[in-house]
Amino acid sequence: MFTVRKALAATAIGALTIVPLAACSSEEASSTVDSATSSAAEAMESTPEPAAEVADLSNGVDTAVALDPGFLGALTTLGLTPGVVGTATLADGSIRFPITGGDVKYWEPGTVDPYVQGEINHDGSGLSLTAGDTVVELTNFDIDPGTSLLTGDVSVNGAEAAADAVLFDLDGRTLQPLATGPDNTAILQGTQVKISETAAGLLNDTFKTDAVTPGLLVGVATITVKTSA
């Protein structure tokens, strides 16, 4: 994952590369390089350590999405029935996708932008939408909190329609502060999950409609991760 520290290091390297050494004396060039290196180093040092970090998310637990009534109503209007794929579960109005890997870092809001970075994998699970003999499956979700995107694979009646496509946009403006949970868990709650432009197009094409709109609120996510085995 491309972190802030890596970005700053790349900036330092870029600064060294573009300095017009031929136009300077050796002393001027040396001074310019030293200044660029010093500035980049200071910037790196000023980046605070994350408040919390989990380097390996393979211990679980899951991402739960409390489905919005408006989304469920839209599915009913379109004649679509939601279901689960693989290890996902649907109960009490929430759909849960087990976390299978990745990593995550969390900074105090306002200290680093974005203040949640990493990758959260959900291999082997997903959401299905069925209308008559047509079944669309959205699976193998990867959440990138740094870009606020959720990507995954799409199949129609078992045939691949898209791979690693942007399926949902994540709106973290409603994200609540990091909380601790039972059994050595950390909880990030409040991110809104919305249908992406890509997913809206795929669903409209498949189900022969134009009623699936980009930005449709699917629900609110709660991400629960194990902080230790």
Side-chain angles (χ1 to χ4, degrees):
M1 181 55 52
F2 189 74
T3 65
V4 169
R5 293 178 182 272
K6 291 181 180 177
L8 292 169
T11 301
I13 294 171
L16 295 177
T17 302
I18 64 174
V19 171
L21 298 181
C24 306
S25 68
S26 60
E27 290 183 359
E28 290 173 333
S30 175
S31 175
T32 302
V33 171
D34 289 345
S35 177
T37 304
S38 176
S39 297
E42 289 175 1
M44 291 177 68
E45 290 176 357
S46 67
T47 302
E49 290 296 319
E53 178 178 3
V54 182
D56 182 5
L57 296 178
S58 59
N59 294 316
V61 182
D62 59 29
T63 295
V65 180
L67 299 175
D68 186 77
F71 174 68
L72 294 174
L75 294 184
T76 300
T77 300
L78 293 170
L80 301 179
T81 302
V84 295
V85 179
T87 55
T89 59
L90 177 60
D92 300 324
S94 290
I95 187 167
R96 295 178 179 271
F97 310 100
I99 295 173
T100 58
D103 62 273
V104 68
K105 292 181 180 180
Y106 175 90
W107 285 266
E108 292 297 331
T111 60
V112 171
D113 185 23
Y115 63 89
V116 183
Q117 299 179 25
E119 184 177 19
I120 306 173
N121 310 129
H122 307 77
D123 296 334
S125 65
L127 166 70
S128 67
L129 297 171
T130 303
D133 296 330
T134 303
V135 180
V136 173
E137 293 184 346
L138 313 175
T139 58
N140 302 321
F141 298 149
D142 285 342
I143 294 175
D144 185 338
T147 61
S148 298
L149 297 176
L150 185 154
T151 59
D153 303 327
V154 183
S155 67
V156 180
N157 293 335
E160 182 180 279
D164 197 28
V166 177
L167 301 179
F168 302 102
D169 297 318
L170 307 177
D171 187 346
R173 289 175 295 179
T174 54
L175 182 65
Q176 300 176 17
L178 182 70
T180 57
D183 301 322
N184 299 318
T185 58
I187 300 171
L188 281 171
Q189 184 176 23
T191 297
Q192 293 186 335
V193 181
K194 301 179 179 181
I195 292 283
S196 73
E197 184 174 357
T198 299
L202 285 167
L203 293 173
N204 283 330
D205 288 344
T206 301
F207 294 112
K208 310 304 180 187
T209 181
D210 59 3
V212 183
T213 58
L216 175 65
L217 178 62
V218 176
V220 177
T222 299
I223 300 173
T224 304
V225 301
K226 278 278 191 180
T227 57
S228 61

